[in-house]
Amino acid sequence: MALKATIYKADLNIANMDVHQYGDFQLTMALHPSETIERLMVRVLAFARFADERLEFTKDLFETDEPALWEKDLTGQLVKWIEVGLPDEDKVKKASARCSEVAVIAYGSAVAEWYKRSSKLKTLKNVQVWQLSEATTAAVQALCERTMQLQLNVMDGEWTLIGDNAQAVIEWTQLQ
């Protein structure tokens, strides 16, 4: 019998004073049986970085040709494609031809080596690559609960994600 996904819910309140973006988002995410809590929380951070009412989580690990998140316009056309982890550069290149904006949220100890080997990515003008520090991904795991109340505060480039029992400073590095 196949294992089923575990559903997580997060009420995410964003107060980004740097770009004057404020909003409340009710997120529902399926944790694939092979997925870690770290990756689940990185998906939450990816949502927070590109927050929009049309941004949505996809089937991702259940459907390998889909990203972790995407945004479609009102006609159903893909506008934004967001990968989480260290994706194959051919998949990112294909996405960059389909969408006006592509982003990769990379994390883990192998990011530097992956980015160094991904020479095709550096030629794509509509692709952003963001790296999360290992300290960040470790800290955000402490915020994870099946039902989460999260507050994200951004001011002067400093990101702080606050949960009921802990908080984490989010360290982003833009590689591209």
Side-chain angles (χ1 to χ4, degrees), residues 114-164:
W114 167 82
Y115 189 64
K116 191 165 76 169
R117 284 185 290 112
S118 300
S119 57
K120 290 179 191 174
L121 288 184
K122 297 172 182 101
T123 65
L124 304 173
K125 301 297 182 214
N126 62 335
V127 175
Q128 299 176 41
V129 179
W130 292 90
Q131 179 181 6
L132 286 166
S133 72
E134 291 183 63
T136 293
T137 60
V140 296
Q141 290 179 69
L143 303 174
C144 188
E145 299 175 20
R146 290 284 302 274
T147 303
M148 298 175 262
Q149 303 289 322
L150 300 172
Q151 169 69 44
L152 175 66
N153 296 323
V154 181
M155 185 165 46
D156 298 330
E158 185 173 305
W159 287 50
T160 306
L161 187 63
I162 303 164
D164 288 337

Side-chain angles (χ1 to χ4, degrees), residues 60 63-67 70 81 83 91 94 98:
D60 190 16
E63 290 288 334
T64 56
D65 61 339
E66 292 183 1
W70 63 23
W81 180 286
E83 290 283 351
K91 183 178 180 183
K94 189 176 176 181
R98 295 175 63 190

Side-chain angles (χ1 to χ4, degrees), residues 24 28 37 45 50 58 100 116 149 168:
D24 291 307
T28 301
I37 294 296
L45 293 175
F50 297 98
T58 66
S100 58
K116 191 165 76 169
Q149 303 289 322

Side-chain angles (χ1 to χ4, degrees), residues 49-50 102-104 115 127-132 171-176:
R49 173 153 285 287
F50 297 98
V102 176
V104 176
Y115 189 64
V127 175
Q128 299 176 41
V129 179
W130 292 90
Q131 179 181 6
L132 286 166
E171 298 169 347
W172 295 97
T173 303
Q174 187 167 14
L175 302 177
Q176 175 173 318

